[in-house]
Amino acid sequence: MTPSTVLILGANGRFGRAAVLAFAAAGWRVQAQLRRAPMAPLPAGACAVTVPLTDTAGLAAAADGAAVVVHAINPEYTRWDAEALPALQQGLDVAQRLGALFMLPGNVYNFGENMPPLLRPDTPQAATTTKGRQRCAMEAQMQARAAQGQRSVVIRAGDFYGPGSGTWLDQAIVKDLARGKLVYPGPLHAAHAWAYLPDLAQAFVAVALADQHTAPGFARLHFAGHTLTGAQLLAAIDSAAASLGLRPARGFRIGRMPWAVVRAVGLVYPLWRELARMRYLWRVPHTLDASALHAAVGALTATPVDVALRQTLLDLGFKPQAGASALAA
């Protein structure tokens, strides 16, 4: 299969923007659906589509010829209850009108706080939170559509990091980096799955290009990303910061997430309440088995974690200081 046309829903979001760049770099014609002007100029080969997701017929007409639809829509965390499943259904409707492969970035919420340490695509889903059950419902909807002849795939990944703000990394862990402090939300020995967005976007391109889903059906694939204990992540951040001349002479102070405060504030602040419900993700070790993904598309090149974190710090606005050095890619 040669590169074709892809419609990326929610192209202004963190993953949406990464997907636009990855597909365009691979030679695809990219139709970037967004509700407002692009946050950064679109790359060559990409054009903006301003038809709202709610107008599924109009959006499908505007995206005529798209062979792939990437659903990068991600409602605000406190609005998932009202918006996540309806937005998914609208995205599926657009893909169905186009006869296109529907692609969704998934997460590990589906497996709940009793999840095993190694998560495979066929690991039983036993969500223990509202958001986990919503994610299960989204995938169930995709599976139900498959029985009607629609093609779709979910590529599950760990916590996002990379270009853009609004992730655990920038909102908590490196928030006070300039003041010489890092904060980790859980025990330092527990393994946690991370996904560097440019790498995850490349995986979407590889799956779309391989077109392994020509027959009607629904597939689950897992993206391994970087699995790191808290101690390993903090060491990698330390290395990345040192390469930019941002490491304090005495090293970073390490703080812990004040979960009791988060729960208390969550009584009146919905976002903090939602974050407190997901605390288990930091204490329950987990990693994603990507063998099915690699069987479908071959080995994928992963950005070394030190290099990815260095670029992430630059993207977040941290400026190289005296003594900065390059990290080998």
Side-chain angles (χ1 to χ4, degrees):
M1 177 182 173
T2 56
S4 181
T5 300
V6 58
L7 170 64
I8 298 176
L9 305 175
N12 258 339
R14 289 186 301 274
F15 178 69
R17 176 65 182 171
V20 167
L21 294 173
F23 276 94
W28 288 66
R29 177 172 174 258
V30 178
Q31 295 172 321
Q33 186 270 342
L34 30 76
R35 293 178 297 176
R36 57 190 182 279
M39 297 177 66
L42 293 173
C47 63
V49 177
T50 57
V51 180
L53 182 61
T54 52
D55 182 4
T56 55
L59 184 52
D64 186 37
V68 175
V69 173
V70 176
H71 190 83
I73 300 290
N74 189 29
E76 290 185 20
Y77 212 58
T78 55
R79 298 188 61 82
W80 273 31
D81 289 3
E83 298 178 9
L85 190 55
L88 177 92
Q89 291 168 335
Q90 290 159 358
L92 284 166
D93 287 345
V94 172
Q96 189 168 35
R97 287 176 178 271
L98 291 166
L101 171 67
F102 181 85
M103 305 184 76
L104 175 74
N107 61 29
V108 302
Y109 293 6
N110 308 54
F111 301 110
E113 59 184 310
N114 298 312
M115 61 183 167
L118 182 63
L119 302 172
R120 299 183 175 89
D122 61 354
T123 296
Q125 298 187 7
T128 53
T129 64
T130 299
K131 281 188 166 40
R133 288 186 285 272
Q134 288 167 345
R135 278 287 175 170
C136 290
M138 291 168 71
E139 292 183 24
Q141 181 66 229
M142 293 168 68
Q143 196 158 15
R145 293 287 190 105
Q148 302 169 16
Q150 188 163 8
R151 299 179 295 141
S152 63
V153 57
V154 58
I155 303 179
R156 198 181 317 284
D159 263 322
F160 290 176
Y161 74 102
S165 61
T167 70
W168 273 100
L169 189 76
D170 67 275
Q171 294 292 298
I173 298 173
V174 304
K175 180 181 178 181
D176 294 322
L177 182 144
R179 296 193 291 172
K181 182 180 179 181
L182 302 176
V183 172
Y184 194 72
L188 296 180
H189 66 274
H192 188 86
W194 292 92
Y196 182 50
L197 285 176
D199 287 353
L200 177 59
Q202 290 292 343
F204 271 69
V205 174
V207 172
L209 189 59
D211 196 19
Q212 295 294 309
H213 310 286
T214 54
F218 167 58
R220 292 184 176 94
L221 298 171
H222 284 186
F223 174 79
H226 299 120
T227 298
L228 303 165
T229 66
Q232 289 170 329
L233 177 68
L234 294 178
I237 294 172
D238 184 278
S239 175
S243 78
L244 295 171
L246 297 173
R247 184 182 185 274
R250 296 185 178 182
F252 288 103
R253 293 175 287 115
I254 306 302
R256 299 299 178 90
M257 193 76 175
W259 284 109
V261 174
V262 173
R263 286 194 299 270
V265 175
L267 295 174
V268 294
Y269 188 30
L271 177 60
W272 286 39
R273 180 170 63 248
E274 295 298 323
L275 295 177
R277 289 171 176 168
M278 308 309 294
R279 180 185 179 182
Y280 75 90
L281 291 169
W282 299 99
R283 62 175 176 77
V284 180
H286 59 278
T287 187
L288 290 155
D289 178 3
S291 56
L293 174 61
H294 295 162
V297 302
L300 295 170
T301 300
T303 305
V305 67
D306 286 0
V307 176
L309 285 167
R310 185 183 198 274
Q311 185 59 49
T312 296
L313 294 179
L314 290 171
D315 291 334
L316 289 171
F318 291 98
K319 305 296 185 184
Q321 304 297 310
S325 61
L327 280 173

